[in-house]
Amino acid sequence: MASPAERYAAARQRAAAPVLAAFAAGYPFGLDPFQLTACRALEGGEGVLVAAPTGAGKTVVGEFAVELALAAGRKCFYTTPIKALSNQKYADLVARHGEASVGLLTGDNAVNGDAPVVVMTTEVLRNMLYAGSPGLRGLGYVVMDEVHYLSDRYRGAVWEEVIIHLPAEVRLVSLSATVSNTEEFADWLVTVRGHTRVVVEEHRPVPLWQHVLVGSRLYDLFVDDAHTTVNPALLRLAREEARFAPTGRPVRGRPRGRGYLAGRAEVVETLASAALLPAITFIFSRVGCDAAVLQCLRAGLRLNSPAERDEVRRHVEARTADLPDEDLAVLGYWEWLEALERGVAAHHAGMLATFKEIVEELFVRGLVQAVFATETLALGINMPARSVVLERLTKWNGDTHADVTAGEYTQLTGRAGRRGIDVEGHAVVLWTPGLDPAAVAGLASTRTYPLRSSFRPSYNMAVNLVGTVGRDRARTLLESSFAQFQADRAVVGLARQVGRNTEALAAYAAEMVCDLGDFAEYAALRRALRDLEARLAREGAAARRVDAVESLERLRPGDVIRVPAGRRSGLAVVLDPGVVGLDGPRPTVLTYDRQVKRLSTVDFPLPVQPLARLRVPKSFNPRSPQSRRDLASSLRSAEVADAVPGAGRGRAPAGADPESARLRSRLRAHPCHRCPDRDAHARWAERHQRLERDTEAVQRRVESRTNTIARTFDRVCRLLGELGYLAGGTVTPAGERLARIYSEADLLAAECLRLGLWEPLSPAELAACVSTLVFEARRPDDASPKVPGGAARAALAEMARLWGRLEELEAEHSLAFLREPDLGFAWAAYRWASGHRLDVVLGDAELAAGDFVRWVKQLIDLLDQLGDVADPDTRVAATARVAVTALRRGVVAYSSLA
């Protein structure tokens, strides 16, 4: 029982934060100290930044901002980085506050947009701010969930735009994963938003245990409570594998027979026997996720009881009742349903959004026990598990296979451990060949996740800023971005380094003072001579390489040569000169010891000359031992004259160069050349020269970072001025259209409108052309994609030429914002807009259903924008609206809130 003093303190806290008291009373569990701290600061009128691990409950603070807004009769916008998270948060808030009080705006969906609480993607809020939307009136709070997403190189800039442009009276609630530079981010927030309370929580409410699964045996990664000592048994396994694996001998504890990745069903069974289900297995490959589900089905895996199986079927049939029957087969509905009934599912971006939602819903209800997912699931979706499994610690990052970072490992494994259900969570790494347990331990124990700005002023941003606040004010606003804040902080450190270097340079200069003369001048002569000799040596080596290649090109079959160096050195007879090739001549020769070898320029550091000639019989067969013996015998008996040493036209030695001789003469004549301490002075001079070069490089970095964003903005404005989107400090009518096009290809779309490239197109042809501005292939494809003919083909060709001209213009202004139009979706968009069936379109396009729907929705979004901004007197405005109607059908129209 609380003491009188404790009851009095609690009463004072309730009086100071009455909304929080009522809010906390409605939760099934008591709020944690970090949640209370953040909520009290928010009710006290401060903005807050909450950084906490996944699953710690930071969204409670965002929900409290909603409570405060409703209590004060004001609005609260809850922003998220992805539509799926917006949909989920919308459902959560509707359950708490009712449909009348909550709206949703995601670009695809507009539900009750005038409600006091609106969930939206961050892009929607950015667009409202630029447009001066009346919906901003009465806005009191903005929650930015997953704010660390501003590091995203494609969309992260939107977060900074919102933070900078929000009215000063709006309280900002920033919710972030645990990052290593929280203080830096908070300092920036204070600079642009006023006082901000920073609340950092390192503690996970559910402890996380780390394991490695070797075959069917689960090892603890650490053997101490502090998670610092790696399990010796794992280290021993790694040593044994390194020792015996190359010999083919099995390593104790490792599975035999089939490759380990074929045993995904066995992994699930092992987890089930250890009571570690439900589990999410991250595979980092859509194909891998689907294959894992198929393997579980073929293995006869069943994780649900008959009653649970019936419950799954009822839920799925209710949620997909409106899905067109003719599309079920092409969507893989029946196989997907069978897996769900067994308690197994995949989760990735290639799936239909509704299918992913159903997987999430069934998982939360405990009706799906094993999910195989790509890393996109780790972003925000409320789908915690008892265990998280990482199949490997490398993933494709869009360019190459890269190791999982400590931050990514933390984000992924953070899903393990359900608050209020599990007493502990479990992270499991599967053993793969070459796994280093110490490296896994490093990932598991490191919490380094730095937040790095990806902000840059786009064309759309530039015209919006100039139109809203004028060019000078826009420049000032951009200099307040987090990107410039980080650059300026880096400049401070670099400037300190320059200062330290300058002091050291003065000390070095004092050490090389010579009584006989100016030693700095003497050192400069030494350096000039050294640099010249190094250049002459490089040029001589290059000339010798040229001579060697030319000598190889002159060889003919039957020439006897001496290979100068390497394992194949000695006499040889040329069988084939091999002069045709991208990497230089590669002659095939028969060596003195009867071996047929293909040589390369590497074997000839010096030019080669024929020493004699032999007749190579037309019947010579390099695979015949007898043929090789006969020709080698002729080689041994040939009269061979030695080659002229140093043949070729190589450059004269460095000492014979006139400039080199002049520098040496000046060096010997210099008074410091006679100094008895010359060598000691020279050592200090060399240190001085190295440090001087380093200091100049640091100063160049300082200059490149100062006013980086503003200088980029100036270049953008100059380019837009050349094209007629800006005139001095004002936005032209063409610029006003550009200001309403939100796309990575904003300028190219605006130019297509301005030049009338799309005027003659039908709705399906326009859909095909505009698709090239939104679609981006996941991986480059060298094949030429199929495109519509006629007017569409001509327009696509004109768009390619226009992009080329814009790319050249960007290069002139040191910019590189626009990517080349991607034709990979044009045929699918054309066919779908023309009314073809889903199975036909997907069969032609080789696209997953989820990808297809997502790209069509993005295409619809851009077509909607074009229909709104195009001159109403032009044909393209009406065509765009008809195209939208043609595209929004079937599975695209059916998406619930997806």
Side-chain angles (χ1 to χ4, degrees):
M1 184 175 177
S3 68
E6 290 171 334
R7 291 198 299 274
Y8 176 71
R12 288 195 61 181
Q13 286 184 346
R14 286 193 297 272
V19 180
L20 176 58
F23 175 78
Y27 265 82
F29 48 83
L31 298 189
D32 291 337
F34 87 92
Q35 295 168 327
L36 291 170
T37 299
C39 291
R40 285 174 187 141
L42 202 53
E43 190 164 4
E46 300 177 74
V48 295
L49 166 62
V50 182
T54 301
K58 52 184 175 287
T59 55
V60 167
V61 183
E63 292 168 1
F64 180 62
V66 171
E67 202 84 16
L68 284 173
L70 293 174
R74 307 203 66 184
K75 290 183 177 179
C76 177
F77 289 169
Y78 198 112
T79 72
T80 74
I82 56 175
K83 295 172 185 176
L85 188 53
S86 292
N87 298 336
Q88 193 174 76
K89 184 51 62 177
Y90 169 74
D92 293 344
L93 292 175
V94 164
R96 185 176 180 89
H97 300 287
E99 289 186 357
S101 298
V102 185
L104 176 69
L105 296 173
T106 64
D108 290 340
N109 298 290
V111 179
N112 199 16
D114 295 325
V117 178
V118 183
V119 182
M120 60 184 67
T121 52
T122 319
E123 282 86 351
V124 170
L125 178 53
R126 185 270 312 272
N127 299 353
M128 292 175 69
L129 288 167
Y130 280 145
S133 169
L136 296 169
R137 285 197 291 269
L139 182 62
Y141 299 88
V142 167
V143 179
M144 303 198 78
D145 204 352
E146 308 283 343
V147 75
H148 54 274
Y149 206 77
L150 66 79
S151 289
D152 183 80
R153 60 177 174 167
Y154 297 113
R155 297 171 50 222
V158 177
W159 272 252
E160 293 186 49
E161 290 180 79
V162 168
I163 292 170
I164 292 170
H165 296 305
L166 274 175
E169 67 274 11
V170 175
R171 290 284 165 265
L172 187 66
V173 182
S174 304
L175 307 179
S176 171
T178 306
V179 295
S180 53
N181 58 336
T182 305
E183 293 78 9
E184 179 185 45
F185 185 53
D187 289 347
W188 174 68
L189 286 175
V190 169
T191 302
V192 295
R193 302 298 313 164
H195 189 65
T196 302
R197 180 73 65 89
V198 182
V199 181
V200 178
E201 176 60 40
E202 296 282 359
H203 175 71
R204 278 178 51 94
V206 180
L208 181 64
W209 295 93
Q210 307 281 343
H211 310 278
V212 176
L213 183 61
V214 184
S216 59
R217 182 174 176 183
L218 200 63
Y219 289 83
D220 290 334
L221 177 59
F222 299 103
V223 292
D224 62 331
D225 293 339
H227 286 195
T228 57
T229 305
V230 180
N231 192 332
L234 288 173
L235 296 174
R236 186 170 59 253
L237 278 174
R239 288 194 300 270
E240 288 178 358
E241 180 184 68
R243 182 180 176 189
F244 294 119
T247 68
R249 292 170 57 186
V251 177
R252 181 164 42 85
R254 290 284 311 281
R256 301 169 182 263
R258 293 179 302 160
Y260 186 64
L261 293 184
R264 285 153 172 159
E266 290 88 341
V267 172
V268 174
E269 289 170 342
T270 299
L271 295 174
S273 64
L276 294 183
L277 295 181
I280 298 171
T281 300
F282 287 107
I283 294 181
F284 305 133
S285 159
R286 299 178 182 185
V287 173
C289 293
D290 293 336
V293 173
L294 186 60
Q295 289 164 19
C296 290
L297 291 179
R298 288 175 176 169
L301 190 67
R302 295 183 184 276
L303 303 174
N304 281 343
S305 67
E308 289 170 331
R309 190 166 62 246
D310 293 342
E311 188 177 351
V312 166
R313 179 175 284 271
R314 286 194 299 270
H315 182 82
V316 172
E317 289 177 345
R319 287 283 274 107
T320 60
D322 296 329
L323 199 66
D325 289 342
E326 65 272 16
D327 293 339
L328 293 180
V330 70
L331 293 173
Y333 173 84
W334 302 110
E335 297 84 354
W336 171 71
L337 175 58
E338 181 186 359
L340 286 176
E341 289 178 337
R342 296 185 181 208
V344 180
H347 188 288
H348 57 73
M351 296 170 60
L352 197 67
T354 302
F355 283 16
K356 286 195 296 181
E357 291 175 10
I358 292 171
V359 170
E360 293 160 13
E361 293 158 2
L362 293 175
F363 191 84
V364 169
R365 291 171 57 176
L367 296 173
V368 169
Q369 295 286 310
V371 169
F372 300 94
T374 55
E375 72 271 24
T376 52
L377 186 148
L379 182 65
I381 301 298
N382 183 26
M383 198 169 155
R386 179 167 296 168
S387 303
V388 163
V389 180
L390 271 67
E391 200 168 78
R392 15 182 111 250
L393 295 177
T394 58
K395 67 169 191 169
W396 178 259
N397 64 9
D399 298 314
T400 184
H401 287 281
D403 292 335
V404 171
T405 67
E408 289 167 338
Y409 185 91
T410 301
Q411 184 85 355
L412 295 167
T413 57
R415 296 240 158 250
R418 299 163 297 176
R419 188 169 187 177
I421 302 175
D422 300 317
V423 296
E424 57 191 27
H426 300 267
V428 180
V429 174
L430 301 191
W431 185 280
T432 53
L435 185 78
D436 180 2
V440 180
L443 289 174
S445 58
T446 302
R447 293 293 178 266
T448 301
Y449 187 68
L451 203 57
R452 294 283 176 259
S453 174
S454 60
F455 184 84
R456 64 179 186 176
S458 66
Y459 300 116
N460 169 276
M461 186 193 304
V463 291
N464 270 300
L465 284 172
V466 173
T468 305
V469 299
R471 186 161 173 174
D472 292 340
R473 172 67 178 147
R475 207 174 187 277
T476 304
L477 277 174
L478 291 172
E479 287 183 327
S480 67
S481 66
F482 187 44
Q484 191 59 58
F485 185 84
Q486 288 190 310
D488 290 344
R489 283 205 161 187
V491 164
V492 170
L494 292 172
R496 287 179 184 151
Q497 185 178 339
V498 169
R500 290 193 299 269
N501 288 3
T502 303
E503 292 176 6
L505 285 170
Y508 292 173
E511 291 291 341
M512 66 182 192
V513 170
C514 179
D515 296 337
L516 299 181
D518 185 348
F519 202 89
E521 182 182 71
Y522 179 74
L525 283 172
R526 284 172 60 113
R527 181 170 60 180
L529 178 61
R530 185 172 62 245
D531 292 347
L532 175 62
E533 290 178 341
R535 178 171 63 81
L536 292 174
R538 288 195 301 272
E539 289 174 354
R544 287 192 295 275
R545 283 196 296 273
V546 170
D547 289 345
V549 169
E550 290 180 351
S551 71
L552 291 175
E553 290 173 343
R554 291 192 292 268
L555 292 178
R556 295 292 178 265
D559 283 345
V560 177
I561 62 174
R562 186 179 298 281
V563 181
R567 289 179 295 132
R568 303 176 180 90
S569 62
L571 289 178
V573 59
V574 176
L575 303 176
D576 178 1
V579 295
V580 179
L582 297 176
D583 51 354
R586 300 198 64 193
T588 301
V589 301
L590 176 72
T591 65
Y592 201 74
D593 54 358
R594 304 196 302 270
Q595 294 192 38
V596 175
K597 297 293 183 182
R598 183 179 288 276
L599 308 179
S600 72
T601 54
V602 175
D603 296 300
F604 296 91
L606 296 171
V608 64
Q609 283 188 341
L611 308 178
R613 281 191 61 78
L614 291 178
R615 178 181 168 274
V616 179
K618 291 183 179 179
S619 60
F620 177 79
N621 181 359
R623 296 184 180 179
S624 165
Q626 184 61 46
S627 292
R628 293 200 304 270
R629 274 196 301 270
D630 291 346
L631 189 57
S633 176
S634 299
L635 177 62
R636 292 190 189 96
S637 61
E639 294 184 7
V640 175
D642 283 339
V644 178
R649 66 166 196 278
R651 293 291 299 269
D657 181 79
E659 177 63 14
S660 175
R662 188 182 67 82
L663 284 173
R664 285 183 181 279
S665 177
R666 288 184 60 192
L667 196 68
R668 293 191 187 99
H670 198 283
C672 292
H673 193 67
R674 299 186 299 275
C675 178
D677 298 322
R678 183 184 67 190
D679 291 342
H681 292 331
R683 285 193 292 272
W684 286 108
E686 288 175 2
R687 294 174 188 170
H688 188 280
Q689 290 166 357
R690 283 197 301 270
L691 187 58
E692 195 171 42
R693 285 196 299 269
D694 292 345
T695 304
E696 289 169 357
V698 174
Q699 286 174 326
R700 286 194 296 272
R701 290 172 63 192
V702 169
E703 291 165 5
S704 69
R705 295 189 181 208
T706 304
N707 303 119
T708 310
I709 305 299
R711 289 204 309 272
T712 304
F713 173 70
D714 289 339
R715 295 198 298 271
V716 168
C717 288
R718 284 195 292 271
L719 184 150
L720 292 174
E722 284 189 33
L723 292 175
Y725 291 93
L726 293 176
T730 61
V731 180
T732 65
E736 291 173 358
R737 282 197 297 273
L738 176 58
R740 295 161 62 197
I741 299 175
Y742 298 98
S743 163
E744 285 185 53
D746 48 11
L747 182 59
L748 182 53
E751 282 288 274
C752 289
L753 283 178
R754 187 172 68 88
L755 299 173
L757 262 58
W758 297 328
E759 278 300 298
L761 302 180
S762 69
E765 290 170 335
L766 180 62
C769 290
V770 175
S771 77
T772 67
L773 305 184
V774 298
F775 179 75
E776 190 170 4
R778 295 180 64 225
R779 296 191 184 186
D781 188 355
D782 295 332
S784 298
K786 188 174 182 180
V787 296
R793 185 182 293 271
L796 288 169
E798 282 299 314
M799 288 174 66
R801 284 190 283 270
L802 175 58
W803 171 79
R805 292 196 295 273
L806 291 175
E807 186 187 39
E808 291 175 0
L809 188 59
E810 282 193 323
E812 291 173 12
H813 290 272
S814 300
L815 299 169
F817 289 177
L818 296 174
R819 64 169 177 83
E820 186 176 4
D822 193 322
L823 302 174
F825 195 64
W827 183 244
Y830 176 79
R831 299 270 278 174
W832 185 250
S834 299
H836 288 274
R837 296 196 321 270
L838 181 65
D839 59 337
V840 174
V841 175
L842 291 185
D844 284 350
E846 296 184 353
L847 278 170
D851 288 330
F852 171 76
V853 172
R854 187 173 68 259
W855 289 122
V856 171
K857 287 189 173 185
Q858 291 189 30
L859 172 57
I860 287 172
D861 182 49
L862 183 52
L863 284 168
D864 264 331
Q865 295 179 44
L866 297 176
D868 289 340
V869 305
D871 189 326
D873 296 333
T874 62
R875 179 182 170 188
V876 73
T879 306
R881 286 189 280 272
V882 175
V884 167
T885 302
L887 291 166
R888 191 178 279 135
R889 65 182 180 88
V891 291
V892 176
Y894 174 74
S895 58
S896 63
L897 296 175

